[in-house]
Amino acid sequence: MSWKTIPGALIALAIASSPALACKGKTVLFEDNFTDRDPAWGSSEAVVIEKGVMKITPPPNGVGAAYYSGDLFEKGDFCVDVTIPELKDPNETVVGLIIGGQDYSNWYLVALKPVGTVYVARLINSKWIYPVPEQ
């Protein structure tokens, strides 16, 4: 499976300004309120940070992503608020978090579709496997 086979695939469309509201853990390892652009998010034409929100907009039939390179975490819970605009085909859109990445060809994706399904995909040497199938 390649990104081109998922028309309009999105890694993340919008991450709300209060990611910790859903999680009330004892220790917060990382939180971003997106009031200022943290250089660790890198730069991408697909990413805009404004008014406390990160917006990621993919090109047509492509992927929009923001990679955070400011720290490494061995384990943890994550909480993200995502807002998805109205879509022509919600079954062909994916929103998720890339975790456990070694490089651009080897990582895990925890993915959700607006139709209410979730799955875990793993990219190994640029080839996809699905340890947790869509359900």
Side-chain angles (χ1 to χ4, degrees):
M1 177 176 138
S2 74
W3 285 112
K4 294 184 183 214
T5 63
I6 305 175
L10 307 176
I11 292 298
L13 197 57
I15 301 174
S17 61
S18 56
L21 289 179
C23 290
K24 299 292 182 185
K26 294 180 182 178
T27 305
V28 175
L29 299 176
F30 174 76
E31 181 177 19
D32 197 332
N33 60 14
F34 299 113
T35 55
D36 296 313
R37 185 178 189 107
D38 182 341
W41 281 110
S43 62
S44 167
E45 291 179 17
V47 178
V48 174
I49 295 175
E50 62 185 11
K51 298 180 184 176
V53 175
M54 174 187 282
K55 296 180 183 178
I56 304 173
T57 306
N61 299 318
V63 175
Y67 299 96
Y68 184 75
S69 61
D71 206 343
L72 296 174
F73 306 100
E74 289 189 28
K75 62 180 181 177
D77 298 322
F78 56 87
C79 297
V80 179
D81 293 321
V82 177
T83 303
I84 303 170
E86 198 169 319
L87 303 165
K88 290 181 183 178
D89 188 352
N91 199 44
E92 293 297 323
T93 299
V94 177
V95 177
L97 292 173
I98 295 172
I99 58 173
Q102 294 176 335
D103 54 40
Y104 289 107
S105 298
N106 297 280
W107 41 267
Y108 286 89
L109 171 67
V110 177
L112 303 110
K113 287 187 172 182
V115 294
T117 59
V118 63
Y119 63 92
V120 175
R122 183 174 181 194
L123 189 63
I124 303 173
N125 296 323
S126 299
K127 295 186 180 176
W128 289 101
I129 64 169
Y130 298 88
V132 179
E134 188 173 339
Q135 49 193 293

